[in-house]
């Protein structure tokens, strides 16, 4: 039994089936019925055999995903952060996945802007550069100038990209749901919820109004960091397909020359950047989830600018508390405590081996901690720990894997600015400040007002509840229920034992009485023996058989 192939998705089924066949999952193709979408020549061969050990396949995966289009590029970037899902060689290859494509024509840019803003480009902007600054799978960015003289960057979405992505996701969702229902891997990894989360992330990234809100939120949250810049959006020139924001003059940190790096205070910039991310993750609960080197600029006035805030992670307060403890434990080399914290955040699956898992995590933390302190990558440790958890039967929340990828990128960017940067030292150095900010947030007027309302309700209802409690206590109406033992089941078991002992005694008495009556001669006989004695023997024998059958059929079943 396979999925029901929809004619409108035949090309997408074919691409997905060819990808699975190449990477050794022809069994999944046949089980899902996807071989119907393949040409006969392709369906007859397996591509790379299941479990093909060739090392070059991981490097080919990134190229194959780029060829399949923007949906698969973004999916590959997501899988690069799922160390618990793919082997290390594949995640490392996907980390190099580039979201770069050829720019689309300026005529399409002009048409999109005029349709979205409702005015001609010449009316909205005094200058507009037809050549894009950068082009990606979802859109491209142009430099422009507003009528009031402000320099801006205008991000324009590719034509029909939303419809294409939705169609790709619909086909992928059919395969994911089938895998979850009919395969052990699907039941273990839960592909459909993972894909739904990916779909929501893609829809947020395609909504430039949401990205404009992210820019405003991060600009407000990071205003205390003098060396961090977040471009402000221009709301009147922003729609779901067009984003206009402040233009940041600078270069990617990877494109900065060594001589330019000598002119700046790289240690201060790296520490400030890391501290800003600690605040995002552990205090605000909202963090920029894609701080790779291409999204971090060194401005002309020697500050760090964060751009492209379409991918954002969210952390619940409870998970933030666990992350604080985990980061401190990693920075101090306490591997067993890291294993315990990660286990508290995840879900244990069938076959989970706690001892093997704890030993593996402890080895990872110890191995990194014993290395040179400059080589400790907090993000890489989290990624390896999440991969180990997945291999040992623990399903990790996606926020944790996303956080590991974020910190890994952050470690790399910080070391470009300051080769001697030590993430573990930065965590320990700023831990006290982070805790103070969390306490201040807990003591905010909003939280205090909510606590005051709850206290008011408690005080208001307390007299009535105390009066009711005392009244029941006086009337001896208080009951204490202990669920340690099921009393009804215990009484039933005792009664069953008593009944069987009594039955056994009666049967024994019948046998003894029958034996004694054998000595008494009577005119009524059965098989030549006294009739009453034989009758007692028969009753005792029948009763014994019934008792034994009841024991074997009832007690053994229970």
């Amino acid at each position: 039994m396979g999925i029901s192939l929809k004619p409108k998705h035949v090309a997408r089924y074919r691409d997905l089936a060819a990808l699975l066949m190449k990477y050794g999952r022809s069994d999944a193709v046949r089980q899902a019925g996807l071989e119907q979408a393949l040409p006969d020549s392709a369906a007859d061969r397996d591509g790379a055999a299941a479990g093909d050990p060739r090392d070059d396949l991981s490097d080919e995966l990134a190229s194959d995903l780029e060829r399949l289009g923007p949906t698969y590029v973004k999916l590959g970037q997501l899988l690069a952060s799922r160390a618990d899902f793919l082997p290390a060689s594949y995640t490392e290859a996907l980390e190099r996945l580039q979201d770069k494509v050829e720019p689309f024509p300026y005529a399409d840019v002009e048409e999109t802007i005029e349709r979205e803003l409702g005015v001609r480009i010449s009316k909205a902007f005094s200058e507009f550069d037809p050549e894009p600054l950068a082009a990606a799978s979802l859109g491209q960015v142009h430099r422009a100038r507003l009528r009031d003289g402000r320099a801006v960057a205008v991000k324009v979405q590719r034509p029909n990209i939303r419809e294409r992505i939705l169609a790709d996701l619909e086909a992928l969702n059919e395969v994911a749901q089938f895998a979850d229902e009919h395969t052990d891997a699907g039941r273990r990894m839960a592909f459909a919820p993972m894909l739904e989360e990916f779909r929501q992330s893609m829809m947020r990234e395609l909504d430039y109004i949401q990205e404009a809100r992210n820019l405003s939120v991060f600009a407000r949250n990071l205003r205390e960091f003098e060396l961090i810049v977040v471009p402000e959006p221009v709301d009147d020139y922003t729609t779901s397909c067009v984003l206009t924001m402040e233009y940041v003059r600078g270069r990617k940190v990877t494109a900065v020359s060594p001589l330019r790096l000598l002119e700046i205070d790289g240690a201060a910039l790296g520490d400030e950047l890391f501290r800003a991310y600690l605040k995002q993750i552990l205090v605000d609960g909202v963090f920029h989830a894609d701080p790779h080197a291409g999204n971090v600029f060194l401005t002309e006035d020697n500050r760090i600018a964060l751009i492209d805030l379409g991918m954002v992670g969210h952390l619940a307060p409870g998970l933030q508390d666990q992350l604080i403890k985990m980061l401190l434990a990693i920075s101090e080399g306490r591997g067993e405590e890291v294993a315990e914290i990660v286990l508290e955040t995840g879900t244990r699956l069938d076959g989970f081996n706690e001892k093997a898992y704890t030993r593996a995590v402890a080895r990872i933390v110890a191995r990194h901690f014993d290395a040179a302190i400059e080589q400790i990558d907090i993000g890489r440790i989290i990624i390896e720990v999440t991969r180990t958890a997945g291999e040992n039967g623990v399903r990790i929340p996606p926020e944790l894997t996303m956080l590991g990828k974020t910190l890994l990128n952050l470690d790399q960017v910080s070391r470009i600015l300051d080769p001697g940067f030590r993430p573990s030292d930065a965590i320990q150095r700023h831990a006290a400040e982070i805790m103070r900010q969390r306490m201040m947030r807990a003591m905010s007027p909003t939280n205090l007002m909510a606590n005051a309302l709850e206290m008011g309700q408690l005080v208001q209802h307390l007299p009535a509840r105390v009066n009711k409690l005392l009244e029941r206590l006086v009337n001896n109406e208080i009951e204490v229920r202990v669920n340690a033992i099921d009393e009804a089941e215990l009484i039933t078991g005792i009664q069953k034992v008593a009944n069987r002992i009594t039955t056994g005694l009666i049967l024994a008495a019948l046998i003894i009485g029958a034996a004694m009556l054998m000595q008494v001669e009577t005119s009524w006989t059965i098989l030549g023996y006294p009739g009453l004695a034989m009758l007692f023997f028969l009753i005792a024998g029948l009763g014994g058989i019934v008792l034994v059958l009841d024991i074997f059929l009832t007690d053994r079943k229970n």
Side-chain angles (χ1 to χ4, degrees), residues 150-214:
R150 283 181 292 169
V152 294
V154 183
K155 187 175 181 180
V156 184
Q157 198 170 103
R158 285 184 176 272
N160 304 318
I161 190 66
R162 186 186 300 266
E163 291 77 10
R164 178 180 178 181
I165 288 177
L166 287 174
D168 287 340
L169 290 175
E170 184 179 350
L172 286 170
N173 186 58
E174 294 173 15
V175 178
Q177 288 184 346
F178 177 86
D180 287 356
E181 293 174 1
H182 298 93
T183 67
D184 293 335
R187 285 185 285 269
R188 181 180 180 85
M189 301 302 301
F191 296 124
M194 187 191 308
L195 190 65
E196 174 59 22
E197 181 185 349
F198 172 66
R199 187 192 70 81
Q200 294 178 7
S201 175
M202 288 295 298
M203 292 301 100
R204 287 192 296 267
E205 199 166 349
L206 285 169
D207 184 2
Y208 288 171
I209 294 178
Q210 180 63 49
E211 185 172 346
R213 293 196 192 102
N214 293 339

Side-chain angles (χ1 to χ4, degrees), residues 185-361:
R187 285 185 285 269
R188 181 180 180 85
M189 301 302 301
F191 296 124
M194 187 191 308
L195 190 65
E196 174 59 22
E197 181 185 349
F198 172 66
R199 187 192 70 81
Q200 294 178 7
S201 175
M202 288 295 298
M203 292 301 100
R204 287 192 296 267
E205 199 166 349
L206 285 169
D207 184 2
Y208 288 171
I209 294 178
Q210 180 63 49
E211 185 172 346
R213 293 196 192 102
N214 293 339
L215 290 169
S216 298
V217 167
F218 281 93
R220 181 176 66 252
N221 290 347
L222 301 179
R223 61 179 179 271
E224 66 183 84
F225 299 91
E226 297 180 357
L227 299 180
I228 305 295
V229 178
V230 178
E232 293 277 2
V234 182
D235 293 334
D236 293 340
Y237 288 77
T238 296
T239 68
S240 61
C241 297
V242 175
L243 171 61
T244 304
M245 55 188 157
E246 175 188 0
Y247 178 73
V248 177
R249 300 180 183 275
R251 303 185 69 180
K252 298 177 183 179
V253 293
T254 51
V256 177
S257 66
L259 183 61
R260 177 79 172 88
L261 290 175
L262 292 176
E263 298 174 352
I264 64 174
D265 188 352
L269 287 175
D271 187 72
E272 184 91 335
L273 180 62
F274 203 85
R275 186 167 69 92
Y277 269 85
L278 288 178
K279 180 180 183 296
Q280 294 175 46
I281 294 167
L282 303 177
V283 179
D284 301 328
V286 181
F287 63 96
H288 180 208
D290 196 21
H292 63 76
N295 289 340
V296 179
F297 275 43
L298 178 63
T299 65
E300 294 180 352
D301 59 351
N302 296 335
R303 295 192 293 172
I304 293 295
L306 302 178
I307 64 171
D308 192 4
L309 270 71
M311 188 179 297
V312 171
H314 298 268
L315 297 172
L319 187 55
Q320 285 179 293
D321 294 337
Q322 300 286 12
L323 287 175
I324 291 176
K325 295 189 291 185
M326 183 173 67
L327 291 177
L328 289 174
I330 289 175
S331 66
E332 297 176 0
R334 292 181 273 119
E336 292 186 357
E337 185 174 340
V338 173
E340 182 179 351
I341 294 170
V342 172
L343 189 58
E344 291 175 357
T345 66
T347 302
R348 306 185 190 200
L349 303 176
D350 293 339
F352 169 64
N353 188 334
E354 184 168 359
K355 290 184 178 179
Y357 157 75
T358 302
R359 285 197 300 267
V361 172

Side-chain angles (χ1 to χ4, degrees), residues 436-506:
R436 186 191 67 80
Q437 291 180 343
R438 283 180 60 84
M439 292 295 294
M440 292 299 296
R441 178 177 284 265
M443 298 295 290
S444 66
T446 303
N447 289 337
L448 290 176
M449 190 175 295
N451 292 334
L453 289 174
E454 291 184 4
M455 182 62 71
Q457 292 179 353
L458 174 63
V459 172
Q460 179 181 357
H461 297 292
L462 185 59
R465 290 174 179 172
V466 171
N467 185 49
K468 185 180 295 185
L469 176 62
L470 292 175
E471 183 178 349
R472 290 187 175 181
L473 186 61
V474 170
N475 295 331
N476 198 24
E477 296 177 353
I478 299 296
E479 295 182 359
V480 178
R481 297 182 181 178
V482 179
N483 293 325
I485 298 175
D486 190 335
E487 297 151 354
E489 188 173 349
L490 179 62
I491 294 298
T492 302
I494 293 174
Q495 288 179 340
K496 184 180 292 187
V497 171
N499 291 340
R500 286 182 177 168
I501 291 174
T502 303
T503 303
L505 290 174
I506 293 173

Side-chain angles (χ1 to χ4, degrees), residues 1-63:
M1 181 181 65
I3 63 176
S4 178
L5 301 182
K6 297 181 180 179
K8 63 179 180 178
H9 295 324
V10 169
R12 294 176 174 85
Y13 296 135
R14 184 183 303 118
D15 291 337
L16 183 58
L19 192 68
L20 291 171
M21 294 280 284
K22 177 176 180 179
Y23 292 93
R25 293 315 307 266
S26 57
D27 56 333
V29 172
R30 293 191 176 91
Q31 190 174 12
L34 290 175
E35 77 277 3
Q36 303 174 43
L38 288 170
D40 292 339
S41 58
D44 291 338
R45 65 178 184 270
D46 288 349
D52 192 334
R54 289 188 298 157
D55 295 333
D56 58 346
L57 278 180
S58 59
D59 294 326
E60 294 177 17
L61 179 59
S63 301

Side-chain angles (χ1 to χ4, degrees), residues 60-73:
E60 294 177 17
L61 179 59
S63 301
D64 289 337
L65 293 178
E66 287 177 350
R67 176 179 52 80
L68 291 176
T71 306
Y72 291 89
V73 169

